[in-house]
Amino acid sequence: MDKKNGHAHPEHRSRAHEYLECSSQEPSEMSALPESRSLPQTRSSRAKQNRTTTRSSLMSSDDEDRPMKAPTRTNSLRFQRQEEDRYEQLQMKNSAMVQSQEQSIDSSENGSVVGIIAEEFYGRNRGIMQKQALPMTEKNPLTNGKSMNNQNSTAMFDNKQIAVYQQLRDDERSQTSSTVPPPPVLQQQSHFSQPGAFRMSAGGRPRSNDLDSVANTVTSYPPHQQAPQAPVPNESEVDDECPTHPTPLNFATSMGTHVTAATAVTANPMSVVEAEPIDKHTLREFFDNGKVKFVICLLISFFLLLVMGAVYWLTGFNMNELSGSDDIVDATLAPTSPGDLDLNFFTRNALPENTRSALRKANSPQSKALAWLKNNTLLETYSLNRRLQRFALATFYFATGGDRRWKRNDGWLSDDSECNWFMTSTVDSFPCNEGVLMELSLREMNLVGKIPNELGLLSSLHVIELSRNQITGTIPTSLTGMYALQEIRFFDNYISGEIPISIESLEKLVVLDVAYNFLAGGVIDVGQLTNLRQLHLDRNLFIGELPVSIGQLSKLEILYLFGNAFEGTLDELSTSFDRMTSITHLGIDRNRLSGTLPPSLSLLTNLRSLTLGNNTFASTIPVELYKRCKDLEVLDVADNSLSGTLASEIQLLTNLHALFMEGNRLSGTLPGEVGNLQSLETLWLQENNFHGSIPSQVGRLPRLRDFKINDNILVDGSIPSEIGQLTNARRLAMENTRLTGTVPDTVCGLVDRGILPMYNLTVDCSLVDCKCCEMCLTSEIQNMGNR
């Protein structure tokens, strides 16, 4: 540009028009700017470059507003070149500002900045050509966003160049750090598959969807790495009417990273940029993708396989359990391999299902017993029966605290024969028969815990004696398979639940003693236990009526049902008394029985003990009982509602040791025939309606220790002196009667000799003078005793 007239040189004008004519058809490709280049700077060259740059900025301002053509191959190349030109122009502007600040160009040299920039990057001769290659559709205030065609480009340049030139001068003076336009508008495209990615277009104007298939990438490279070269178009793809331009080289941004030419090659100049977190709509589209669903299904399947593997590893699950092989193989038929040292065959085939389940718990008694058995020195020589026997005993040992609580555990869990392990045998014979354990007896050994089901593996046992321990839990059902079992003794423990019904199948059972526990419910049908001789169900929580099936036990000798909540009468059961003649002990006291005492009781001629007390029987005592049951040693009918008199036939019970008739409504006088009961030790007649005097024949009972006739208000007279002959007396209770007079000296002599404790001699001091009662303190002693 000429400084005098402000018009461009003709040569420059011709070249600018030539470029405008071609730029409307196909923008030329620009070479990338080098990072640094040192060339001699002259005023003329800088002026020429500045004028050329000014023209380019004027004519390329409308590029962004030009409508997008159809995405043909030629148009794509044109668009590529336009993008390259835009980036180059921005770089040139930035370089111009930096160069102007460094060299402090004098303000008089108007228009030299563009020339300096062109010479700096392209040399003096190529500066004009490079400036002509700049896009002519740059948006600027002079064009107002409209495109410049070939007809008016020269005119507009002539008319507006001075204003543009002045604007460039203002830009040089404004020391801003960058002239880069604001970032393009981000537009979210719903069809874009990458979460968090957005389409980018200039001016906020969406591009055609036909161009979406073109790849849009921005790749950063470190300064020392060469970026890949952009593809060079063929000559057939370029319009022949316009001069070709050099293939663009890689250009560097001012931020120190290399941006590849792939950005300019794309037909649709959009880039993938990082944006804010995706919204719910994008998530929904993401998970609706079929591939995503398939991957999720694979992950879920893999997780389920992991869970199943963990379950298998923790529980020891095996396919044998699914096949239904839960039954125990007969010990005589199941082979024992000498190499089965890991006891796999033993575990799978010889143990029941509940035991295998318990083996899955690491600290269970069964697991401890199996681990101990594996470590047996002579394991390989043991038969399957022997292994079962040792395993069952070891399980019982761990389940009842043998290693912590037992009073004695001599020999247990040693390599010695289990027949030599400590037992409290109830028989004199050896507890084993040819190595097979016949008796498990640990009475009063402080066993604590539950009886394991593995006890049923000792199928040859005849006796189980575990009385007076602290066993809890229920009676194991596995006992029903012990067909050789003859005695079950669980007396005085803490066993609860019900008696297993399957015990009815133990035909050889002779003794069933579960007394003093917490068993409840009804009594099983014991009629099938035809060999049963002792049935101890006392001191439990049984309810219902007395089982009639008891009448079928012709061999039964001891029947203890006291201390429960049985109801009903004895009428139905009494019809079977004629078949129960073997009974020697019958105890049904402390229940809720009612009715009368049947005379058929006298059919139990072998009775030695009959206790019917603490019920609600209301009748007289059958005299036939005295006549036929002459072996009675204990007769207890106390605390009922019995009436009548004490018959003189009582003297027939010559073996009677204890007679309990207190707490009834008996009346009449005390028969003198009582003195014939030479074996009597306890005579309790208190709390009745007897009257008359105490028969002197009582003094002839040499074994009498406890005589109580108190609380019979009709008894009168004086205390017979023969009472002093009771040299074994430990208690004489005669208060709350109408006895008068003086306590005989013979009675006081028992106190003086220390035979009779003073506090056990009780009389009514208001009516009886007692010299050996010391200040009549018997009333206080009585009150203390009542408390």
Side-chain angles (χ1 to χ4, degrees):
M1 180 181 291
D2 194 350
K3 292 189 294 182
K4 295 181 179 180
N5 53 22
H7 296 282
H9 193 277
E11 182 182 358
H12 294 172
R13 292 177 59 84
S14 63
R15 291 176 180 176
H17 281 285
E18 181 182 358
Y19 181 78
L20 286 174
E21 291 176 0
C22 295
S23 63
S24 62
Q25 302 175 8
E26 178 181 358
S28 60
E29 299 177 354
M30 298 294 296
S31 299
L33 298 177
E35 294 183 2
S36 63
R37 184 175 183 181
S38 176
L39 294 176
Q41 302 293 328
T42 62
R43 181 176 299 179
S44 60
S45 64
R46 287 196 299 269
K48 291 178 182 180
Q49 291 177 359
N50 187 35
R51 286 193 296 269
T52 305
T53 305
T54 305
R55 288 195 193 107
S56 299
S57 63
L58 288 172
M59 290 183 289
S60 61
S61 60
D62 271 357
D63 266 0
E64 291 182 337
D65 294 336
R66 181 175 297 169
M68 188 68 182
K69 293 183 179 182
T72 62
R73 190 172 186 180
T74 304
N75 290 338
S76 300
L77 294 174
R78 291 176 181 175
F79 207 97
Q80 165 189 342
R81 294 163 185 162
Q82 290 176 6
E83 286 296 300
E84 293 175 351
D85 295 340
R86 184 178 294 107
Y87 276 104
E88 184 178 11
Q89 183 179 7
L90 295 177
Q91 294 295 331
M92 291 174 62
K93 287 183 180 181
N94 288 332
S95 300
M97 290 299 298
V98 174
Q99 189 70 25
S100 63
Q101 293 176 5
E102 292 178 353
Q103 297 183 4
S104 303
I105 301 176
D106 188 13
S107 60
S108 62
E109 294 179 349
N110 296 332
S112 63
V113 175
V114 178
I116 293 173
I117 297 173
E119 289 181 3
E120 176 70 14
F121 289 94
Y122 301 102
R124 183 171 185 177
N125 295 329
R126 296 179 59 195
I128 298 176
M129 293 299 296
Q130 295 299 330
K131 288 184 288 183
Q132 289 177 351
L134 293 174
M136 302 299 293
T137 59
E138 184 82 26
K139 181 183 286 188
N140 55 64
L142 298 179
T143 62
N144 293 326
K146 299 181 180 180
S147 303
M148 297 176 60
N149 52 28
N150 296 334
Q151 289 76 17
N152 58 13
S153 61
T154 305
M156 180 172 291
F157 178 80
D158 294 337
N159 296 332
K160 303 299 181 177
Q161 64 178 347
I162 298 175
V164 173
Y165 188 81
Q166 185 64 33
Q167 181 178 359
L168 290 175
R169 288 281 299 158
D170 295 338
D171 292 338
E172 289 178 354
R173 293 174 180 176
S174 61
Q175 297 179 358
T176 58
S177 61
S178 175
T179 60
V180 180
V185 179
L186 294 178
Q187 293 183 351
Q188 180 181 4
Q189 300 294 332
S190 60
H191 61 274
F192 204 77
S193 61
Q194 298 183 12
F198 297 82
R199 295 285 189 185
M200 182 175 70
S201 62
R205 187 180 296 109
R207 301 298 183 181
S208 174
N209 292 336
D210 295 334
L211 302 178
D212 290 341
S213 60
V214 182
N216 300 282
T217 59
V218 178
T219 308
S220 297
Y221 295 91
H224 64 275
Q225 183 177 348
Q226 180 68 27
Q229 299 294 329
V232 180
N234 299 327
E235 293 181 358
S236 60
E237 299 175 352
V238 183
D239 197 345
D240 295 337
E241 296 178 2
C242 298
T244 60
H245 301 281
T247 302
L249 299 176
N250 296 334
F251 53 90
T253 65
S254 59
M255 300 302 292
T257 58
H258 297 274
V259 183
T260 63
T263 306
V265 174
T266 58
N268 189 0
M270 302 177 184
S271 300
V272 178
V273 297
E274 185 176 358
E276 297 295 329
I278 56 179
D279 57 7
K280 295 183 180 178
H281 180 71
T282 306
L283 281 174
R284 190 180 300 110
E285 291 182 350
F286 176 74
F287 285 106
D288 286 343
N289 190 294
K291 293 182 178 180
V292 174
K293 292 181 179 179
F294 178 73
V295 172
I296 293 175
C297 290
L298 286 180
L299 292 176
I300 292 175
S301 302
F302 181 70
F303 176 76
L304 291 177
L305 290 175
L306 287 179
V307 172
M308 293 177 63
V311 171
Y312 174 85
W313 181 75
L314 292 175
T315 61
F317 175 80
N318 59 73
M319 296 303 297
N320 291 334
E321 296 181 2
L322 292 180
S323 63
S325 57
D326 294 338
D327 296 331
I328 303 175
V329 179
D330 189 353
T332 59
L333 300 177
T336 301
S337 173
D340 186 30
L341 298 181
D342 56 357
L343 300 178
N344 287 333
F345 177 85
F346 173 80
T347 303
R348 290 194 306 267
N349 299 282
L351 299 180
E353 190 277 334
N354 55 2
T355 300
R356 293 197 298 271
S357 299
L359 287 174
R360 299 180 186 129
K361 301 178 181 179
N363 293 325
S364 65
Q366 293 81 0
S367 298
K368 294 179 180 179
L370 186 64
W372 167 81
L373 184 60
K374 288 181 179 180
N375 294 326
N376 277 202
T377 305
L378 304 176
L379 175 62
E380 190 172 0
T381 64
Y382 295 155
S383 64
L384 183 57
N385 278 334
R386 186 75 180 279
R387 294 183 179 187
L388 283 173
Q389 181 169 281
R390 293 179 72 86
F391 172 77
L393 289 174
T395 302
F396 178 81
Y397 178 83
F398 287 114
T400 56
D403 54 340
R404 298 173 289 107
R405 305 295 296 272
W406 287 13
K407 293 180 180 179
R408 291 185 61 182
N409 56 4
D410 305 347
W412 279 78
L413 302 192
S414 65
D415 288 333
D416 195 4
S417 172
E418 51 272 29
C419 298
N420 296 327
W421 295 356
F422 172 78
M423 299 279 182
T424 56
S425 300
T426 58
V427 294
D428 297 332
S429 61
F430 195 60
C432 291
N433 182 13
E434 296 180 356
V436 178
L437 192 65
M438 307 295 291
E439 179 179 352
L440 176 61
S441 179
L442 292 167
R443 182 184 178 92
E444 296 186 69
M445 283 290 107
N446 197 36
L447 275 61
V448 179
K450 299 179 180 180
I451 301 175
N453 278 315
E454 286 70 24
L455 192 64
L457 297 176
L458 303 175
S459 57
S460 299
L461 275 181
H462 289 181
V463 177
I464 300 177
E465 168 61 285
L466 302 176
S467 298
R468 295 188 181 277
N469 284 289
Q470 301 181 44
I471 297 174
T472 58
T474 60
I475 298 176
T477 57
S478 60
L479 297 182
T480 58
M482 305 172 70
Y483 298 109
L485 200 58
Q486 298 179 8
E487 297 184 18
I488 299 177
R489 297 181 182 272
F490 296 151
F491 167 73
D492 196 8
N493 280 284
Y494 298 93
I495 301 174
S496 59
E498 298 182 356
I499 299 177
I501 298 178
S502 52
I503 286 184
E504 300 171 358
S505 61
L506 301 179
E507 299 179 354
K508 296 183 179 181
L509 194 62
V510 175
V511 177
L512 177 59
D513 186 357
V514 293
Y516 285 80
N517 280 284
F518 295 92
L519 298 171
V523 179
I524 61 175
D525 184 5
V526 295
Q528 302 180 31
L529 304 176
T530 55
N531 292 308
L532 196 64
R533 295 187 178 184
Q534 297 184 24
L535 180 59
H536 301 264
L537 304 179
D538 48 295
R539 293 290 186 179
N540 280 285
L541 304 173
F542 294 116
I543 59 175
E545 296 185 355
L546 295 175
V548 182
S549 59
I550 294 176
Q552 303 175 20
L553 304 177
S554 58
K555 298 181 180 180
L556 191 62
E557 298 176 357
I558 300 176
L559 176 59
Y560 283 161
L561 304 177
F562 62 87
N564 286 284
F566 290 117
E567 300 176 348
T569 64
L570 296 178
D571 295 341
E572 190 172 1
L573 182 60
S574 63
T575 59
S576 303
F577 284 165
D578 58 339
R579 296 192 299 268
M580 300 173 65
T581 55
S582 298
I583 286 186
T584 57
H585 297 79
L586 176 60
I588 55 176
D589 53 306
R590 295 176 177 81
N591 281 286
R592 301 174 183 176
L593 301 175
S594 59
T596 61
L597 297 180
S600 57
L601 281 172
S602 60
L603 298 176
L604 306 176
T605 55
N606 292 315
L607 276 176
R608 297 173 57 187
S609 173
L610 177 61
T611 57
L612 306 173
N614 291 92
N615 284 287
T616 57
F617 293 119
S619 66
T620 59
I621 301 173
V623 178
E624 292 82 0
L625 186 64
Y626 304 145
K627 295 179 179 180
R628 304 185 63 175
C629 299
K630 296 181 179 180
D631 293 332
L632 270 176
E633 297 177 357
V634 176
L635 177 59
D636 181 5
V637 293
D639 295 309
N640 282 284
S641 297
L642 299 176
S643 59
T645 62
L646 182 57
S648 59
E649 285 80 3
I650 190 71
Q651 63 179 333
L652 299 176
L653 302 177
T654 55
N655 293 318
L656 195 63
H657 292 171
L659 178 61
F660 301 97
M661 292 187 173
E662 73 277 7
N664 283 286
R665 300 176 182 176
L666 298 175
S667 59
T669 60
L670 295 177
E673 288 79 5
V674 174
N676 296 326
L677 302 175
Q678 297 297 311
S679 299
L680 193 62
E681 297 179 359
T682 303
L683 177 60
W684 287 8
L685 302 174
Q686 71 273 18
E687 299 179 11
N688 278 285
N689 295 323
F690 291 115
H691 61 83
S693 61
I694 299 174
S696 59
Q697 290 84 349
V698 174
R700 299 203 303 257
L701 300 175
R703 296 184 179 181
L704 189 61
R705 298 170 58 88
D706 197 339
F707 176 57
K708 298 177 68 174
I709 198 174
N710 55 288
D711 295 296
N712 283 276
I713 59 174
L714 298 179
V715 172
D716 55 9
S718 60
I719 300 174
S721 59
E722 288 80 3
I723 297 296
Q725 300 176 10
L726 302 175
T727 55
N728 290 312
R730 296 296 181 269
R731 176 182 296 180
L732 294 176
M734 297 175 287
E735 73 277 6
N736 293 332
T737 62
R738 293 185 179 182
L739 293 174
T740 60
T742 303
V743 174
D745 294 338
T746 55
V747 175
C748 289
L750 297 176
V751 176
D752 295 338
R753 294 196 302 267
I755 298 174
L756 177 63
M758 183 180 62
Y759 55 83
N760 283 336
L761 175 60
T762 57
V763 296
D764 191 346
C765 294
S766 61
L767 300 175
V768 178
D769 184 12
C770 182
K771 296 180 180 180
C772 55
C773 294
E774 292 187 0
M775 299 178 63
C776 209
L777 297 176
T778 54
S779 297
E780 296 182 8
I781 296 174
Q782 178 184 354
N783 294 333
M784 291 175 61
N786 292 334
R787 288 195 296 268

